[in-house]
Amino acid sequence: QEGLRAPAQGALSRPGREARLDLRDYRRMPPVAAAMTPFPYYVQADAAVSEGERLMGEHGIRHVPVQDGGRVVGIISHRDLHHLVNPALPRRDRERIRARDILVPDPYVVEMNAPLDEVVAEMSRRQIGSAIVVRHQRLAGILAVTDVCRVLAEILRQRFPSGGDAA
């Protein structure tokens, strides 16, 4: 559909099919690209807000980048969507609201080779749930808090391989 892009087949992290981040493969800090979800779903700035809602609902995601002319111009989060758009509005009225009307402008954007620790620290400092990842200023991925949690779980499993035995 116009104004919406789906990622390549199999690009989303799904339970049981997550990419493993094995820190033993790195001699230095891994780049954000090692932990991001590649090829994220996104909407065009002129797309109806309902497209973003649909993507979030169908794919279990909470952040959707917004693009205009191939450039990332903002992000819509699940929380922002539900705070800014009255769910009681009739569908025809919701269809009139465009992504550009509710997006958060100037989202946190990083290059694919940015050090993962710096990106995660900045997300924490800003108290945000995602970072948009670009390659040569083109959308390449998204690092969401759920990606960070997945990486932390893998690090903990590598460090404490015995499993769930709490000491």
Side-chain angles (χ1 to χ4, degrees), residues 100-113:
R100 76 170 64 256
D101 298 329
I102 67 160
L103 64 77
V104 173
D106 302 318
Y108 180 42
V109 177
V110 298
E111 280 287 333
M112 286 180 68
N113 61 352

Side-chain angles (χ1 to χ4, degrees), residues 55-75:
L55 286 174
M56 290 178 192
E58 286 182 9
H59 303 288
I61 57 178
R62 302 186 74 71
H63 301 91
V64 177
V66 179
Q67 293 198 100
D68 192 8
R71 189 174 64 86
V72 175
V73 295
I75 191 163

Side-chain angles (χ1 to χ4, degrees), residues 4-132:
L4 132 90
R5 187 220 186 264
Q9 182 72 20
L12 285 181
S13 294
R14 293 181 177 87
R17 292 180 49 189
E18 295 94 357
R20 285 180 51 103
L21 177 63
D22 191 338
L23 294 180
R24 295 172 288 211
D25 294 341
Y26 294 91
R27 292 183 182 260
R28 295 184 201 156
M29 180 58 59
V32 69
M36 72 180 190
T37 298
F39 310 109
Y41 290 98
Y42 68 85
V43 295
Q44 294 295 330
D46 289 327
V49 165
S50 59
E51 290 297 321
E53 288 177 305
R54 186 183 64 73
L55 286 174
M56 290 178 192
E58 286 182 9
H59 303 288
I61 57 178
R62 302 186 74 71
H63 301 91
V64 177
V66 179
Q67 293 198 100
D68 192 8
R71 189 174 64 86
V72 175
V73 295
I75 191 163
I76 298 172
S77 74
H78 185 264
R79 182 184 321 164
D80 294 333
L81 184 66
H82 292 284
H83 280 107
L84 297 173
V85 179
N86 183 346
L89 275 177
R91 181 160 177 85
R92 71 177 183 283
D93 292 338
R94 291 170 81 80
E95 291 295 323
R96 291 186 200 144
I97 302 170
R98 301 286 138 207
R100 76 170 64 256
D101 298 329
I102 67 160
L103 64 77
V104 173
D106 302 318
Y108 180 42
V109 177
V110 298
E111 280 287 333
M112 286 180 68
N113 61 352
L116 182 57
D117 66 326
E118 291 178 16
V119 174
V120 171
E122 184 64 15
M123 287 171 62
S124 175
R125 189 187 73 72
R126 294 184 185 200
Q127 298 182 9
I128 56 175
S130 65
I132 294 175

Side-chain angles (χ1 to χ4, degrees), residues 9 18 27 38 107 134 138 147-148:
Q9 182 72 20
E18 295 94 357
R27 292 183 182 260
V134 296
R138 306 290 283 185
D147 296 313
V148 175

